[in-house]
Amino acid sequence: EVQLVESGGGMVQPGGSLRLSCVGSGFTFSRYGMNWVCQAPGKGPDSVSGIRSSGSRTYGSDTVTGRYTMYRHNTKNTLYMQINNLKPEDTALYYCARDRPLWNTVHSGNREEYDNWGQGTQVTVTS
């Protein structure tokens, strides 16, 4: 069974940093593109960034570029996202999600664009 387990979220003050992790199991992690998706309170999911199986970034929002860094360690079956200079508007539930086979376009965040999701890890930025 494919499983994605996120961790690393928490409550942090503005300007702080977090490193989110997503550990995959039940599949060959290195063969799949992966993504981070966020869902703010009262809103639908929104894509944050994606990364190819090779490790190159596929896309990223202008609002997070320079503060969000996605990377992966395929030997550890783990996807990471470092978030620096956190802002209150970053508050959201962050999911990792696996690309569907041969997916090669920018994601918008709709669940149908992915074939597997984790349970999410909550990031709360507050003073």
Side-chain angles (χ1 to χ4, degrees), residues 6 20 36-38 48 68 81 83 90 92-95 120-121 123:
E6 301 95 333
L20 310 184
W36 284 101
V37 181
C38 68
V48 178
Y68 284 54
M81 187 163 64
I83 314 176
D90 296 324
L93 185 63
Y94 286 77
Y95 300 91
T121 184
V123 172

Side-chain angles (χ1 to χ4, degrees), residues 54-71:
S54 64
S56 62
R57 186 174 65 86
T58 57
Y59 63 93
S61 171
D62 290 341
T63 63
V64 301
T65 299
R67 298 193 299 114
Y68 284 54
T69 302
M70 182 184 296
Y71 59 101

Side-chain angles (χ1 to χ4, degrees), residues 12-18 83-87:
V12 65
Q13 294 183 348
S17 299
L18 288 171
I83 314 176
N84 297 323
N85 192 23
L86 281 157
K87 304 177 184 298

Side-chain angles (χ1 to χ4, degrees), residues 12-115:
V12 65
Q13 294 183 348
S17 299
L18 288 171
R19 188 182 72 167
L20 310 184
S21 299
C22 171
V23 178
S25 62
F27 67 103
T28 303
F29 185 83
S30 62
R31 295 182 180 178
Y32 288 84
M34 299 295 297
N35 308 269
W36 284 101
V37 181
C38 68
Q39 186 166 3
K43 297 183 178 181
D46 190 16
S47 64
V48 178
S49 189
I51 189 167
R52 297 184 179 93
S53 60
S54 64
S56 62
R57 186 174 65 86
T58 57
Y59 63 93
S61 171
D62 290 341
T63 63
V64 301
T65 299
R67 298 193 299 114
Y68 284 54
T69 302
M70 182 184 296
Y71 59 101
R72 63 195 296 165
H73 290 327
N74 285 335
T75 57
K76 298 181 179 180
N77 295 336
T78 303
L79 173 72
Y80 301 93
M81 187 163 64
Q82 177 75 29
I83 314 176
N84 297 323
N85 192 23
L86 281 157
K87 304 177 184 298
E89 52 264 40
D90 296 324
T91 296
L93 185 63
Y94 286 77
Y95 300 91
C96 66
R98 194 179 76 173
D99 276 347
R100 292 185 177 277
L102 302 179
W103 186 272
N104 62 356
T105 59
V106 174
H107 291 285
S108 63
N110 294 329
R111 285 188 173 268
E112 293 183 354
E113 299 172 1
Y114 317 95
D115 67 3

